[in-house]
Amino acid sequence: MATDAPPAAVAAAAADAGDAPAPAADAGASAAAAAATEKLSESLAPIHKELLDIRDTLRAMQEAKTPPTEEALQPLQERLDAVDNKRVDGIFGGSLKTVIPEGQAILHELMDEAYGE
C-alpha cells in the first residue's frame, strides 16, 4: 500500500532528522502533518483501503486525455457518499460517546482529497 509521501510527511521526516520544517501555510497543511504521524486503527483499514482506491481512480481519470463522463463519475460519487455516511458525529468507527479509533486525520485527509479531485 505504498503511496507518494505528502509534503507534510517530508516535513515530518525532516523534523525527525533534525532539520526544522517550514511552517504550515494553512489548515490543510497542518491536517496533513497530523495524518502523516497518526497511526491507523485496524478497524478503520477497510475504510482507508476504499478511500485510497477512490482517490487513485480519480487521479487516473484526471491524467486521462479525455475528461471523465458523468456516467463514469457517478459510481465513484456513490462510493464516496457511502464512506461519508459511515461517519457518526464526524468520526469514523465511533462517536463522541465511545472510544474514537486512531486514524481519523488520515481518513479525513483522504476524504478531502477525493472531494477535491
Side-chain angles (χ1 to χ4, degrees), residues 21-34:
D26 58 31
S30 61

Side-chain angles (χ1 to χ4, degrees), residues 74-95:
Q74 185 64 33
L76 290 172
Q77 181 64 52
E78 290 170 2
R79 288 172 58 196
L80 193 54
D81 289 343
V83 170
D84 201 10
N85 288 332
K86 292 179 182 179
R87 290 195 280 189
V88 175
D89 298 327
I91 297 168
F92 288 104
S95 74

Side-chain angles (χ1 to χ4, degrees), residues 6 9 11 15-17 25 27 34 50-52 68 72 80 84 92:
D16 289 342
E50 178 73 1
L51 287 171
L52 286 174
L80 193 54
D84 201 10
F92 288 104

Side-chain angles (χ1 to χ4, degrees), residues 16-111:
D16 289 342
D19 297 334
D26 58 31
S30 61
T37 60
E38 188 174 10
K39 293 180 183 178
L40 182 68
S41 171
E42 217 176 288
S43 66
L44 299 180
I47 296 171
H48 183 251
K49 183 178 181 208
E50 178 73 1
L51 287 171
L52 286 174
D53 185 56
I54 292 168
R55 183 200 62 188
D56 293 345
T57 303
L58 287 168
R59 284 184 176 171
M61 287 178 162
Q62 273 187 325
E63 293 172 5
K65 294 184 185 223
T66 59
T69 64
E70 188 174 323
E71 292 80 22
L73 290 172
Q74 185 64 33
L76 290 172
Q77 181 64 52
E78 290 170 2
R79 288 172 58 196
L80 193 54
D81 289 343
V83 170
D84 201 10
N85 288 332
K86 292 179 182 179
R87 290 195 280 189
V88 175
D89 298 327
I91 297 168
F92 288 104
S95 74
L96 293 175
K97 299 174 186 171
T98 64
V99 175
I100 300 172
E102 288 183 297
Q104 300 298 314
I106 295 167
L107 298 182
H108 285 272
E109 183 180 335
L110 286 170
M111 289 289 293

